[in-house]
């Protein structure tokens, strides 16, 4: 598969996730706490979703936790979302390298 086709496939998957997330927010969430969990290649989509909807935005106040594991997250990838500091932190992320 060429790089261009791979990018198209990831974009297609992300657009489906984005559409579902927007539908959830508009119809079901009602300003409730949010947990985002991802694994492996889903982590790439979760990072995009977090950047677009959560990082540094009003929705960040509803984020309990984002578990984005298996693939590494580039240091300082997010402007406002930071790794958990302790067991009572909220609005943060847990990355694979944070799990021991």
């Amino acid at each position: 598969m060429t790089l261009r086709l791979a990018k198209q496939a990831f974009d297609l998957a992300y657009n489906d996730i984005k559409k579902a997330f927007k539908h959830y927010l508009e119809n079901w969430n009602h300003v409730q706490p949010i947990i985002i969990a991802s694994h492996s290649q889903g982590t790439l989509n979760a990072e995009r979703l977090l950047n677009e909807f959560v990082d540094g935005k009003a929705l960040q106040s509803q984020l309990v936790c984002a578990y984005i594991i298996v693939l590494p997250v580039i240091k300082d990838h997010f402007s406002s979302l930071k790794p958990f500091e302790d067991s009572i932190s909220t609005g943060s992320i847990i990355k694979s390298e944070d799990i021991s």
Side-chain angles (χ1 to χ4, degrees), residues 48-71:
R48 285 178 73 176
L49 195 75
L50 289 165
N51 273 320
E52 188 169 344
F53 289 91
V54 179
D55 191 28
K57 297 173 180 71
L59 195 57
Q60 187 170 338
S61 66
Q62 291 174 241
L63 183 68
V64 174
C65 177
Y67 295 92
I68 48 178
I69 59 173
V70 176
L71 293 181

Side-chain angles (χ1 to χ4, degrees), residues 14-98:
Y14 176 71
N15 286 328
D16 189 42
I17 291 165
K18 177 181 171 178
K19 182 179 175 183
F21 189 66
K22 286 174 73 173
H23 179 81
Y24 165 74
L25 291 175
E26 294 166 0
N27 297 284
W28 298 98
N29 179 263
H30 309 296
V31 195
Q32 296 298 308
I34 295 172
I35 295 172
I36 294 177
S38 66
H39 185 275
S40 196
Q41 72 184 34
T43 295
L44 299 173
N45 289 320
E47 287 178 352
R48 285 178 73 176
L49 195 75
L50 289 165
N51 273 320
E52 188 169 344
F53 289 91
V54 179
D55 191 28
K57 297 173 180 71
L59 195 57
Q60 187 170 338
S61 66
Q62 291 174 241
L63 183 68
V64 174
C65 177
Y67 295 92
I68 48 178
I69 59 173
V70 176
L71 293 181
V73 176
I74 298 169
K75 184 178 166 95
D76 300 325
H77 179 77
F78 300 108
S79 62
S80 297
L81 292 171
K82 303 296 179 202
F84 268 86
E85 294 179 3
D86 55 45
S87 63
I88 59 171
S89 295
T90 60
S92 301
I93 57 174
I94 295 178
K95 307 174 294 185
S96 293
E97 53 269 27
D98 296 333

